[in-house]
Amino acid sequence: MVFRNPTAGVLTFDGVLDELSIFLHADPRAEYRLTIGTDSEQRSDVVEFISAIVIHRKGRGARYFWMQTEKPKYATLRERIWQEAILSTSLARSVLDALAEREVWRSVIEVHVDVGENGPTKVLIREIGGYVRALGFVLCIKPYSYAASAVADRYT
């Protein structure tokens, strides 16, 4: 997995974990929020997925890291949104396990899904929400799903 960060440039997954650890240790008393979300853009023959990891030190800034994945074109919006949720939850599980092993994060991770009460994705909220929660993550949807609808969207 290759990630990018505006400050650190190109990073491996371990490099992202190092950056997250440094950020968390810089102010151990602060309150943090760790979020992961994916957005996609369908091109002529492929779909570009951007997954973002965002660590937010409440009231004191944030850092984010993003990676790109390409997959063959999907027949329906439903399939594409499901793939976004699968990519986000898989990445969230990897991050959670790795940070727990390093003993730097023992809280929940929010998975931000690019669905909302308005528009064609509203019919997917219940089923994707059930999937995300069943995997042990906190679900955030639009307009609160900034990791997917703002950070990842910026790079699609």
Side-chain angles (χ1 to χ4, degrees), residues 90-142:
S90 295
L91 182 57
R93 175 53 52 202
S94 296
V95 169
L96 183 60
D97 291 347
L99 290 179
E101 186 175 300
R102 290 176 176 224
E103 298 182 0
V104 294
W105 187 263
R106 294 201 174 150
S107 191
V108 297
I109 291 180
E110 293 180 10
V111 171
H112 290 195
V113 182
D114 201 20
V115 298
E117 295 289 343
N118 301 314
T121 60
K122 66 182 171 188
V123 298
L124 300 172
I125 293 172
R126 190 171 171 175
E127 63 188 85
I128 290 179
Y131 168 76
V132 169
R133 286 188 291 271
L135 292 173
F137 302 112
V138 173
L139 172 72
C140 278
I141 63 170
K142 288 180 185 177

Side-chain angles (χ1 to χ4, degrees), residues 25-43:
H25 286 297
D27 189 354
R29 290 189 231 162
E31 187 178 342
Y32 292 91
R33 196 169 168 188
L34 184 56
T35 63
I36 295 176
T38 302
D39 193 26
S40 64
E41 174 131 352
Q42 190 145 309
R43 311 246 188 252

Side-chain angles (χ1 to χ4, degrees), residues 1-155:
M1 288 188 268
V2 176
F3 289 85
R4 299 187 189 291
N5 171 269
T7 305
V10 178
L11 298 162
T12 63
F13 183 67
D14 283 336
V16 171
L17 296 174
D18 291 342
E19 293 290 325
L20 291 172
S21 297
I22 290 166
F23 191 76
L24 289 163
H25 286 297
D27 189 354
R29 290 189 231 162
E31 187 178 342
Y32 292 91
R33 196 169 168 188
L34 184 56
T35 63
I36 295 176
T38 302
D39 193 26
S40 64
E41 174 131 352
Q42 190 145 309
R43 311 246 188 252
S44 59
D45 58 343
V46 297
V47 179
E48 178 186 50
F49 293 92
I50 302 294
S51 297
I53 301 170
V54 181
I55 184 75
H56 177 215
R57 186 183 295 136
K58 292 190 178 177
R60 295 202 175 113
R63 304 260 338 252
Y64 69 88
F65 309 86
W66 60 274
M67 65 176 273
Q68 177 184 353
T69 307
E70 285 189 357
K71 303 254 183 199
K73 188 174 176 180
Y74 289 86
T76 65
L77 176 63
R78 175 191 177 95
E79 291 173 329
R80 199 170 93 212
I81 297 295
W82 263 104
Q83 186 60 41
E84 290 178 9
I86 290 166
L87 288 169
S88 292
T89 54
S90 295
L91 182 57
R93 175 53 52 202
S94 296
V95 169
L96 183 60
D97 291 347
L99 290 179
E101 186 175 300
R102 290 176 176 224
E103 298 182 0
V104 294
W105 187 263
R106 294 201 174 150
S107 191
V108 297
I109 291 180
E110 293 180 10
V111 171
H112 290 195
V113 182
D114 201 20
V115 298
E117 295 289 343
N118 301 314
T121 60
K122 66 182 171 188
V123 298
L124 300 172
I125 293 172
R126 190 171 171 175
E127 63 188 85
I128 290 179
Y131 168 76
V132 169
R133 286 188 291 271
L135 292 173
F137 302 112
V138 173
L139 172 72
C140 278
I141 63 170
K142 288 180 185 177
Y144 307 106
S145 59
Y146 60 84
S149 56
V151 178
D153 181 66
R154 178 179 184 171
Y155 296 96

